[in-house]
Amino acid sequence: MSALKPNVKTWFSTHDWSERILTADPSWFTVSMGTGVCTQLLIKFPYPAGWLKTIAYIFWIADICIFAFFMTLGILRVIIYPLVARTVVDDFSQTSYLGAVAVAFETIILGIVSFYSGHHAAMYVAEVMYWVAAALSLFVACGGVFFMYQRQKQHSFSDINGVWFLTFIPFIVDSTVGGAISPYLSYENSVTVLVTSFLMWSVGVGMSLVILSLYFWRLMSCQLPPREAIISTFVPVGPFGMGAYSIQQMAVGLASQVREHRFTLARPPQPPNDVTTMATIAEGIHWLGIIVALVQLGIASFLLVEACLSVCAKVPKTVNVGQSHSIPGLLILLIPIRQDFGALFFLAECTAMLGTQ
């Protein structure tokens, strides 16, 4: 199939759009994914300002345009060159990049919540898009693993790389979307979205831990990835950074349901259904979310340090910016922790780490 793939030296080297369509693969969506993550980072910056929100809105519009453009090219590639497009499911690293498509779509939903949360129609659209993203995440995870079993060649430890985590990151990001939109939905829909989001979070984080074990064994057995793929060592930070942010979002959403609607489990024994008891239960749920988030923050911080050391050991000649999206995702996690604790340490750390981007 490589013989069918033309050599495009630069993006503007030719006006032959067939070449661009032929070379359009799911890895391109890491650009849209990174743009969407930066949008959220600007919105949640510790020092809010109107001009920051304006820049974030511009990034969000750019995210939508990039996603639509790449999606159009991808659809045309499947229609015009179906044999070439099928090669995506023959390599698990390429199949994992389908997760970038789902995450890019989910960042667009987060933008809707951030900019149009006061509009009921927008929240209805966001809810519909949430379920579409859930179906897409399910296809990427379950379909990708099934393709590995069913049609791909036998894998070895040297094949494992950070990109494999992209298979399950969409579950985690979609659970973040669920936690973000739940306060704006009706009571029944909110509970349904929260339960589904908790399930997706558990699958995403659990399977990421499984891959993390294999990934560390691969590093011990085969050492670091090659120089041209060394930036992929930042990708493992993503599931645990976003997972920590997601569990906080969902814990806040569930706590608000317990407090406002006095939500309790149907089976006895049931606690007293008074305001004080419900507020205590809600506070406990919030604290449980913080504790789980801090555990994942520790794992993400360790992986970030290891990724930085790996890049220092093998400085790449070119950098794939999309694969470093996990760093802004880790910064987003620190902001709600600072809001909960009110500690200047987290405020300074968020600002300092953003300055390094």
Side-chain angles (χ1 to χ4, degrees):
M1 290 299 174
S2 59
L4 296 176
K5 200 168 184 178
N7 182 18
V8 184
K9 295 183 179 179
T10 63
W11 179 255
F12 298 102
S13 64
T14 177
H15 295 286
D16 187 359
W17 279 92
S18 62
E19 295 184 358
R20 297 171 186 172
I21 293 172
L22 185 60
T23 56
D25 60 64
S27 65
W28 288 18
F29 284 87
T30 57
V31 178
S32 176
M33 180 174 63
T35 305
V37 172
C38 289
T39 299
Q40 293 302 308
L41 187 60
L42 290 170
I43 293 173
K44 301 180 184 302
F45 191 73
Y47 300 104
W51 61 273
L52 278 177
K53 189 172 183 179
T54 301
I55 295 176
Y57 191 82
I58 294 173
F59 268 81
W60 181 59
I61 296 299
D63 183 20
I64 296 174
C65 295
I66 294 171
F67 180 85
F69 178 63
F70 288 166
M71 181 61 70
T72 301
L73 292 182
I75 293 173
L76 291 175
R77 186 190 191 210
V78 172
I79 296 173
I80 301 174
Y81 306 105
L83 294 179
V84 177
R86 286 177 59 184
T87 59
V88 173
V89 298
D90 291 332
D91 180 7
F92 191 67
S93 293
Q94 288 296 316
T95 306
S96 299
Y97 271 117
L98 291 173
V101 181
V103 174
F105 181 72
E106 289 156 357
T107 58
I108 295 175
I109 309 175
L110 288 173
I112 295 176
V113 179
S114 300
F115 296 112
Y116 297 103
S117 58
H119 298 75
H120 294 291
M123 291 300 96
Y124 175 77
V125 172
E127 183 182 4
V128 173
M129 294 175 68
Y130 164 82
W131 291 111
V132 173
L136 184 57
S137 301
L138 187 66
F139 169 77
V140 171
C142 298
V145 174
F146 176 75
F147 290 145
M148 174 194 284
Y149 299 157
Q150 193 265 340
R151 62 177 295 146
Q152 295 176 5
K153 63 179 179 63
Q154 184 176 355
H155 294 274
S156 61
F157 272 109
S158 60
D159 296 330
I160 301 173
N161 56 67
V163 177
W164 283 29
F165 288 90
L166 282 173
T167 308
F168 298 100
I169 289 179
F171 272 137
I172 300 173
V173 180
D174 201 37
S175 66
T176 305
V177 174
I181 67 174
S182 63
Y184 307 102
L185 304 179
S186 63
Y187 174 68
E188 294 80 6
N189 291 359
S190 178
V191 173
T192 302
V193 167
L194 282 173
V195 171
T196 305
S197 298
F198 273 109
L199 290 174
M200 289 193 294
W201 178 87
S202 63
V203 174
V205 174
M207 293 306 299
S208 295
L209 287 171
V210 172
I211 297 178
L212 183 63
S213 302
L214 298 175
Y215 180 70
F216 269 112
W217 184 256
R218 177 251 184 267
L219 292 179
M220 289 186 290
S221 302
C222 307
Q223 297 187 336
L224 291 174
R227 188 181 303 272
E228 58 271 13
I230 197 65
I231 293 298
S232 65
T233 55
F234 283 101
V235 179
V237 180
F240 304 101
M242 287 303 299
Y245 178 69
S246 176
I247 195 64
Q248 290 182 90
Q249 288 279 92
M250 293 186 293
V252 170
L254 181 57
S256 66
Q257 294 296 333
V258 171
R259 184 183 297 108
E260 295 175 12
H261 301 281
R262 299 188 181 183
F263 174 75
T264 58
L265 300 177
R267 286 170 41 175
Q270 293 179 322
N273 196 3
D274 58 83
V275 176
T276 303
T277 303
M278 293 297 103
T280 303
I281 295 174
E283 185 71 8
I285 293 173
H286 194 173
W287 272 105
L288 181 61
I290 293 174
I291 292 171
V292 176
L294 288 175
V295 171
Q296 294 193 74
L297 173 61
I299 298 174
S301 300
F302 170 77
L303 293 174
L304 178 61
V305 172
E306 291 298 311
C308 292
L309 293 175
S310 300
V311 171
C312 291
K314 289 187 176 182
V315 180
K317 296 180 180 179
T318 59
V319 177
N320 185 343
V321 179
Q323 291 185 350
S324 60
H325 73 279
S326 303
I327 303 177
L330 185 60
L331 298 181
I332 294 176
L333 154 67
L334 296 176
I335 295 172
I337 293 180
R338 188 269 306 176
Q339 293 173 341
D340 287 326
F341 288 100
L344 294 177
F345 167 78
F346 287 105
L347 182 64
E349 185 174 2
C350 289
T351 307
M353 292 182 67
L354 178 60
T356 63
Q357 300 305 306

